[in-house]
Amino acid sequence: MDNLIKLRIGLSIGAIVGLLPITLLFTAGMIGLFIPAIFITPTTLVATASIGICIISIFCIGSAWKIYALAMAASPNIQNPRLLAFGAVITMVWGLLVAYYVREIPQATCIFLMPGITSSIMLAITLKRAVA
């Protein structure tokens, strides 16, 4: 089997385990947050905090999936490696913050830490492949 095929299989398994659960959880959370906001007018603080959390989470999840897409490419063309590294770091830090607040539930802690770990590993693989 070709090395690229083996790499793509491993990356796909990593994306399914590391990125898909948090993406689905985020989607369900946004539906659960913004649908009731149509019927109940939130306070300014709650609305601002919700939008801020949503923006940070979208950036983290988006950068993780972008890193995955670059890692899956036959020859990765990285245009802005600093932004990708920043996205991976923010994903890790954001996951640590959220995991700290749900530390009573060990399974949730693992779910929130996985995107940062997965995107960091995928970014390292992508940068290594881009240099070689």
Side-chain angles (χ1 to χ4, degrees):
M1 194 181 309
D2 188 36
N3 286 338
L4 184 59
I5 294 173
K6 290 178 187 176
L7 178 67
R8 285 181 174 171
I9 290 171
L11 290 171
S12 296
I13 291 170
I16 290 170
V17 171
L19 301 178
L20 189 61
I22 200 70
T23 304
L24 295 175
L25 184 64
F26 172 75
T27 304
M30 289 300 101
I31 291 170
L33 182 68
F34 287 117
I35 295 297
I38 296 171
F39 303 109
I40 302 169
T41 306
T43 63
T44 305
L45 178 65
V46 170
T48 306
S50 299
I51 292 171
I53 290 169
C54 180
I55 289 170
I56 294 170
S57 297
I58 287 172
F59 175 73
C60 292
I61 293 171
S63 66
W65 283 108
K66 175 69 176 178
I67 292 168
Y68 169 70
L70 284 171
M72 290 289 285
S75 59
N77 182 14
I78 301 172
Q79 296 176 356
N80 197 349
R82 289 182 181 166
L83 183 62
L84 292 175
F86 180 71
V89 169
I90 293 299
T91 302
M92 183 66 79
V93 170
W94 189 243
L96 286 170
L97 287 173
V98 175
Y100 174 75
Y101 285 108
V102 295
R103 63 186 176 271
E104 291 83 23
I105 309 168
Q107 295 84 3
T109 302
C110 294
I111 289 173
F112 288 114
L113 291 177
M114 283 303 291
I117 295 168
T118 304
S119 64
S120 298
I121 292 170
M122 286 184 187
L123 182 60
I125 292 169
T126 305
L127 291 174
K128 183 179 177 184
R129 286 183 58 223
V131 170

